[in-house]
Each structure stands twice: as C-alpha cells, then as structure tokens.
Amino acid sequence: MTLKIEIDAASGVAPFEQLRGQIVELARSGALPVGYRLPTVRGFAQELGLAANTVAKAYRALEADGVVETRGRNGTFVAPAGDAAARELAHAAAVFAERAERLGVSAPAARAAVEDALRAAYGSSG
C-alpha cells in the first residue's frame, strides 16, 4: 500500500496540518487500515519535501488525537478508530461540562441542553 499525501505549498494551511488532516481522513475512511505502519519521520519528510520536524509535529498531533500510536523503535501505526473516537468524545464532553459550570448552568440544565443537541443531530429516535 502506498500512502498518497499531497502538500500544497501555496496553501494557507500549515504543512504539518495538511499532513495531519490527510492522515486523519485516510484513517477514518478505512483507506489506512488499523495497524498500518506509517513511514519513518525522516523518510516521510524526504518523500514529501518537508522538514523532519514538520512530520514529527504532525505525528505528535495524530498521537495526541488517538489516530496513531507510537510503539517505540517499532514505528508509528494507525490506531483503532473506536479508541480515537471515544477519546475525542470524552474530551468534548469534558470541555462542555467545564464550560457549562463556568457559565453557572446547573447539571440538569446542562444535561437537557445535551439531550436537545442530540435530538437535533440524531432525530427523535437517536
């Protein structure tokens, strides 16, 4: 399998963010299967015409988001999507709860707001 990533030097989006975003999309779509080993930082940087630090920064962001996992000297691999989605959901919930508390909203009112948002997103059967 060949990893097809294109970095647009003329884009207003930073190269590390372009790389990060494309890997996220490939992993979430299944084009990069769970367990797929990503290229080494140096090798990928050379292939893409980027600085090694740029690729390393993208890999760190992907790992923080749970999209990839680093296994020491064995390399960087695509992580199971469920784990990444669960972590992202937990983070979003924590951010919401902290914001609701800062706004002085009661827990029952915050729950009601979440239920309303879920109904809007998923429909009444959600």
Side-chain angles (χ1 to χ4, degrees), residues 12 56 69 72 74 92 96 101 115:
E69 55 191 19
N74 292 323
F96 170 80
E101 193 273 331
E115 289 295 329

Side-chain angles (χ1 to χ4, degrees), residues 10 30 33 35 39 41 52 55 62 66-67 72 75 79 96-97 100 106 108 119 123:
V41 168
V55 174
L62 289 163
V67 176
F96 170 80
S106 69
R119 275 192 294 280

Side-chain angles (χ1 to χ4, degrees), residues 7 22 31 62 66 68 83 87 90 93-94 113 115:
I7 304 299
Q22 289 179 56
L62 289 163
V68 301
D83 293 346
R87 281 191 290 273
E115 289 295 329

Side-chain angles (χ1 to χ4, degrees), residues 24-109:
V24 165
E25 288 305 313
L26 290 168
R28 290 197 176 144
S29 73
L32 285 180
V34 170
Y36 177 82
R37 185 172 186 233
L38 295 174
T40 64
V41 168
R42 287 185 184 169
F44 209 18
Q46 186 175 4
E47 180 183 327
L48 296 172
L50 297 172
N53 285 340
T54 300
V55 174
K57 184 176 180 179
Y59 278 18
R60 284 191 303 272
L62 289 163
E63 187 167 24
D65 291 343
V67 176
V68 301
E69 55 191 19
T70 301
R71 300 178 191 161
R73 293 184 158 262
N74 292 323
T76 302
F77 299 83
V78 174
D83 293 346
R87 281 191 290 273
E88 187 173 339
L89 181 61
H91 175 73
V95 168
F96 170 80
E98 290 170 11
R99 181 73 175 139
E101 193 273 331
R102 278 196 313 270
L103 291 170
V105 175
S106 69

